[in-house]
Amino acid sequence: MRDARPDEPRGDALSRIRAAIRARPFARAALAILLLLYSAAILAPLIASDRPLLVGSSGGDPGRRRWPLLEALSPLEVFLIVLWALALLAPLWRLALFRRPSRRGPALAAALGAALIAALVFGASSRARAPFATSDWKARMASGEIDPRTAVLPPIRMGFAETNLAEAYRPPTWLHSAEISEAGYYVRGPRAPVKDPVTGVVPAPSPVDVRPGEPARNSPWRHPLGTDSLGRDLFVRLIYGARVSLSVGLLSAAALFLIGVLAGAAAGYFGGAVDLLLSRGIEVVLCFPAFFLVLLVLSSTDPDVLPPVLSIALVIALVGWPSVARLVRAEVLRLREADFVVAARALGCSPARTILVHVLPNALGPAIVAASFAVGAGALVEAALSYLGLGVQHPIPSWGSLVSESHHAGHWWLQLFPGLLILLSVTCYNLVGEAVREALDPRLFDHQETPR
C-alpha cells in the first residue's frame, strides 16, 4: 500500500465506500435508483395529490389566495421535506458557502441519513388524515365555485385514496384494451363491452367522470400503470407505498445496527461476565424466528397505539441485532489489546471514551456491511406481511399490499408493477451492500490500486 498523504486521513471508511461505488457502474446506478425512490417517497404529497398547490382569486385579491396542499401537511412534514431537499443539494450549497469540498463527510452523511429516516418514518407511520386522503377541491372546481384557471395543480392530479368506480380494474391506459367508449364500455378490437375476468359479467355502461385537471378519458397518461378495484391510480399508490416499504427496511437496519454495535462492543471490550451474559443472550435471541414473531406482535398490538410500520421495524431490529453484535464483538476482541487502545487506557481514558473514540471507529466495517444487507431483508419482510394483510391500515398503501389487491391473472398489472419495484429496490440494496463490503474488507482494500 502507498503511504497516505498528510492531508488524506488514513482508514477513512466513507472515502473508501465512495470510491468503491464510483468504480462500479452497477453500484452507481443502484444508488441513483435508491435516491430517486427515496426522494419520490418523501416528496409524494407534492408530486401527486387531488388538492391544488395554490388557489388564487379570480378577482386578483392576493389576500384570498390559499395553499390547500400545504394546509393538509403538518409543520413537521413540511420541515422534513425541506430538510431532505437541502440534504440532497448539500454538495451544491457546500461548495457555494465554502468554495471547496468540505472534509466533514461523515457528519454530512449522518445528517442525510437522519433526515431520510425521520422523513420516511414520520410519513409512513402517521395515519392518513381524512381531509388529506380525499378532498372536495376537484368538485368545487367542477361546480364553478373555484375558477380552475387560478389553481396551480401538482404534477400528478390524483390522490392515493381518490376513487373512480367507473374505472375499476382498468388496464394501463397506453394499451388499446384500456380504451373506454363514450357509453362507458371498455373497447377491445370491435367496439364491444368486455366481460370482467373475475365475475364473468358484462359491466353496465358507466361513463368515466373526468375531473378538473385530469388527463382525458383515453389519454395514455391518465392511468399509465392501471387502477385497482376502486379505480384508484396504481402509479400514485406506488409512490405513496414507497414510504412504507422503504422506511421499514431503513428503520429496522438502523435500529439493529445501533443495538448490535453497542452490545457487541460491550461484550468484546469488557469480557468476563459481561461477555458471557451477552453471548448467551445472543444465542437465545437467535432461536426466535423473525417472521412469526412479527406476526405475533402485529396481532397483539393496537395499530392506533403503535403504527404497524414501527412495530414491524422494531421487531425485525430486536431479532436481527445478534448478527451485527457477533461481528462487532469479534472485531473488538481483536482490537482491545492493540497498542493505541492500551495507550488510551494508560492515559486515563474512561472505558466509554475508549470504546466510542478509539475502538468502535475501527470495528464498524463488518457491522456496516451487515446493516446494508439488512435494509433489503427488512423491506422483504414488510412486503410479505402486507401481502398477508397484516401491514399498514387501509387506505394507506404499501408495495406488498398492492400486490394482494387482486390474485387474478387478468389483472396482471396489480402484481407486475409492485413486484418489480420490490425486486428493483432489494437488488439495489444488495448491489450497494456488495460495494460497501468490498470497500471495507481489508483483504480486498490492501490490494486495490489507488489512483494517483
Side-chain angles (χ1 to χ4, degrees):
M1 289 180 60
R2 66 185 181 90
D3 294 333
R5 295 191 302 268
D7 58 341
E8 184 180 13
R10 193 184 292 267
D12 188 351
L14 188 62
S15 299
R16 298 206 301 268
I17 292 173
R18 284 200 300 260
I21 292 177
R22 289 171 182 168
R24 294 161 179 79
F26 286 107
R28 289 203 311 268
L31 185 60
I33 292 172
L34 288 176
L35 284 177
L36 179 63
L37 291 175
Y38 281 122
S39 299
I42 294 173
L43 303 177
L46 303 181
I47 296 174
S49 177
D50 55 350
R51 287 172 169 258
L53 179 63
L54 170 64
V55 173
S57 172
S58 57
D61 182 9
R64 296 179 57 189
R65 292 178 181 174
R66 291 192 59 183
W67 303 83
L69 189 54
L70 296 180
E71 291 172 3
L73 300 174
S74 67
L76 182 57
E77 282 180 289
V78 176
F79 170 74
L80 292 174
I81 288 174
V82 173
L83 182 64
W84 174 247
L86 292 176
L88 283 179
L89 298 176
L92 297 181
W93 56 257
R94 201 175 50 187
L95 289 175
L97 292 177
F98 301 107
R99 302 296 181 185
R100 59 184 176 86
S102 174
R103 296 183 182 179
R104 298 179 180 178
L108 289 172
L112 180 64
L116 174 62
I117 294 174
L120 277 176
V121 171
F122 183 82
S125 61
S126 58
R127 295 183 59 84
R129 297 180 297 279
F132 185 63
T134 56
S135 69
D136 61 344
W137 286 92
K138 287 184 178 179
R140 294 169 65 181
M141 287 190 289
S143 65
E145 179 182 351
I146 298 174
D147 188 357
R149 294 174 297 179
T150 65
V152 178
L153 301 174
I156 304 175
R157 287 82 184 266
M158 295 181 183
F160 71 88
E162 185 180 0
T163 62
N164 195 336
L165 296 178
E167 295 183 283
Y169 289 128
R170 186 175 184 182
T173 48
W174 43 269
L175 296 174
H176 180 62
S177 58
E179 185 180 349
I180 296 181
S181 65
E182 294 289 343
Y185 286 121
Y186 288 107
V187 177
R188 182 181 299 162
R191 302 181 67 82
V194 179
K195 292 183 179 181
D196 186 271
V198 176
T199 62
V201 300
V202 178
S206 178
V208 174
D209 180 20
V210 180
R211 295 154 185 167
E214 296 180 351
R217 183 182 69 250
N218 289 321
S219 170
W221 302 105
R222 181 168 177 83
H223 300 294
L225 301 184
T227 62
D228 63 4
S229 59
L230 298 178
R232 297 172 295 195
D233 186 79
L234 182 61
F235 182 56
V236 174
R237 291 181 65 77
L238 284 174
I239 295 176
Y240 279 88
R243 288 185 151 196
V244 175
S245 299
L246 297 178
S247 63
V248 168
L250 197 65
L251 180 61
S252 62
L256 68 87
F257 176 80
L258 180 62
I259 298 173
V261 165
L262 294 179
Y269 184 81
F270 293 106
V274 176
D275 186 16
L276 180 65
L277 180 62
L278 289 175
S279 298
R280 299 295 81 77
I282 289 173
E283 294 173 359
V284 170
V285 175
L286 287 174
C287 298
F288 291 98
F291 189 77
F292 294 103
L293 187 59
V294 174
L295 290 177
L296 177 63
V297 172
L298 288 177
S299 61
S300 59
T301 56
D302 185 0
D304 293 328
V305 177
L306 184 64
V309 171
L310 295 180
S311 59
I312 294 172
L314 291 179
V315 173
I316 294 174
L318 292 176
V319 176
W321 65 267
S323 60
V324 176
R326 290 195 297 179
L327 293 172
V328 175
R329 174 183 174 274
E331 288 294 309
V332 173
L333 284 174
R334 181 179 64 87
L335 292 171
R336 70 177 181 178
E337 302 301 331
D339 293 340
F340 65 92
V341 178
V342 175
R345 288 200 296 262
L347 290 173
C349 293
S350 64
R353 178 178 176 83
T354 304
I355 293 174
L356 295 177
V357 177
H358 300 285
V359 178
L360 274 186
N362 296 282
L364 288 182
I368 294 174
V369 175
S372 64
F373 285 106
V375 181
L380 283 177
V381 172
E382 187 280 327
L385 291 170
S386 296
Y387 180 81
L388 297 175
L390 297 174
V392 294
Q393 303 299 307
H394 189 81
I396 304 176
S398 75
W399 291 345
S401 63
L402 292 176
V403 174
S404 64
E405 285 283 343
S406 175
H407 300 275
H408 195 278
H411 305 146
W412 53 268
W413 58 92
L414 291 175
Q415 296 99 32
L416 176 63
F417 297 117
L420 285 178
L421 280 179
I422 295 173
L423 174 64
L424 178 65
S425 62
V426 174
T427 303
C428 291
Y429 285 131
N430 290 339
L431 288 173
V432 174
E434 183 67 20
V436 172
R437 184 191 69 82
E438 294 183 8
L440 299 181
D441 190 340
R443 294 170 299 178
L444 298 175
F445 178 70
D446 288 345
H447 298 287
Q448 288 177 353
E449 287 187 359
T450 307
R452 293 182 180 273

